[in-house]
Amino acid sequence: NAGVTQTPKFRVLKTGQSMTLLCAQDMNHEYMYWYRQDPGMGLRLIHYSVGEGTTAKGEVPDGYNVSRLKKQNFLLGLESAAPSQTSVYFCASSYEFDRGLKHEQYFGPGTRLTVT
Amino acid sequence: AQSVTQLDSQVPVFEEAPVELRCNYSSSVSVYLFWYVQYPNQGLQLLLKYLSGSTLVKGINGFEAEFNKSQTSFHLRKPSVHISDTAEYFCAVSDSWDTGNQFYFGTGTSLTVIP
């Protein structure tokens, strides 16, 4: 199993450009998440999905959109990139264990995005 | 909503000395608890997890953590650290009362092992 993969690994954008980050998992997990990581702020949840065709907002959703058209893929889009979106982006997936509790999250290697 | 507090943002420790990284979470009836490690320029990988049963949980690389329900804590310990333990450590909680299907992460503790 490849686990969770992210494409691309690095990207530099100019302000106003758009791009899509792709996350793929081969573990048949229902839940998928997009986080951003900034120095001193830990991980902040952008959007998440509890199943194919469903998405929901996390803590910092503004400026991002997501889609989950296939169970194994979770796309994160930036329609008009801003310097404040310079960050490292992590995708994760998980599954429900029991009693409504989620099992551990499996993380991808990250995408380092710089917006100039 | 659940909140997770990692009290120490940076912990320097000499090689072969013991270390404890502290984690506290909001009170809840039923939680799963996790510790993740992040090495420089890498993703997060699971160190250990508490789901149920024994409150002392052993993980990879000689780490262990103790779940204390009365103090709502899940502190991470290692009796003797190595240079290779230098990394960022994150505590995380999954809360059965949360309808948002979210995990809650602390802000991380940067462990630096000094030769």
Side-chain angles (χ1 to χ4, degrees):
Chain A
N1 286 350
V4 180
T5 58
Q6 292 183 232
T7 310
K9 288 186 170 49
F10 303 94
R11 187 73 187 268
V12 178
L13 287 179
K14 293 188 187 315
T15 297
Q17 288 184 320
S18 63
M19 77 163 294
T20 300
L21 283 67
L22 171 63
C23 175
Q25 53 95 4
D26 61 2
M27 297 172 282
N28 202 37
H29 286 171
E30 288 294 329
Y31 302 96
M32 296 188 74
Y33 308 80
W34 275 108
Y35 294 93
R36 59 178 289 173
Q37 184 179 32
D38 303 291
M41 304 192 75
L43 290 166
R44 292 184 292 170
L45 183 65
I46 304 171
H47 286 279
Y48 64 96
S49 168
V50 301
E52 183 179 319
T54 70
T55 63
K57 294 180 180 179
E59 180 187 356
V60 289
D62 293 343
Y64 305 94
N65 57 75
V66 289
S67 64
R68 183 102 181 265
L69 298 179
K70 294 182 179 180
K71 186 176 184 178
Q72 64 268 34
N73 295 338
F74 195 29
L75 279 62
L76 178 71
L78 285 73
E79 291 184 346
S80 179
S84 61
Q85 293 178 305
T86 293
S87 188
V88 181
Y89 291 86
F90 287 100
C91 176
S93 70
S94 182
Y95 60 98
E96 190 165 288
F97 190 65
D98 66 16
R99 298 173 290 153
L101 291 169
K102 269 60 69 181
H103 219 273
E104 75 246 34
Q105 293 190 333
Y106 295 77
F107 281 83
T111 295
R112 192 171 295 272
L113 175 66
T114 301
V115 183
T116 61
Chain B
Q2 181 70 253
S3 67
V4 181
T5 303
Q6 291 184 243
L7 295 167
D8 306 300
S9 60
Q10 295 184 337
V11 174
V13 62
F14 285 104
E15 192 174 14
E16 298 184 4
V19 70
E20 178 180 83
L21 305 183
R22 296 179 291 170
C23 174
N24 288 87
Y25 61 94
S26 304
S27 178
S28 178
V29 174
S30 185
V31 294
Y32 286 168
L33 300 159
F34 309 88
W35 274 100
Y36 285 86
V37 60
Q38 184 182 31
Y39 299 105
N41 299 314
Q42 294 187 26
L44 280 73
Q45 55 181 278
L46 186 70
L47 260 184
L48 50 79
K49 60 189 176 188
Y50 171 79
L51 304 180
S52 64
S54 173
T55 57
L56 184 62
V57 179
K58 293 189 184 298
I60 62 172
N61 301 339
F63 283 93
E64 61 182 32
E66 185 156 18
F67 168 55
N68 187 320
K69 188 172 183 178
S70 63
Q71 297 186 4
T72 60
S73 67
F74 191 54
H75 300 332
L76 180 70
R77 302 185 183 100
K78 187 170 183 178
S80 176
V81 295
H82 190 266
I83 295 289
S84 60
D85 293 323
T86 293
E88 189 87 14
Y89 292 80
F90 292 94
C91 180
V93 177
S94 171
D95 184 344
S96 65
W97 289 97
D98 177 58
T99 59
N101 298 287
Q102 297 179 27
F103 282 72
Y104 296 88
F105 284 85
T107 52
T109 296
S110 178
L111 174 65
T112 301
V113 180
I114 305 163

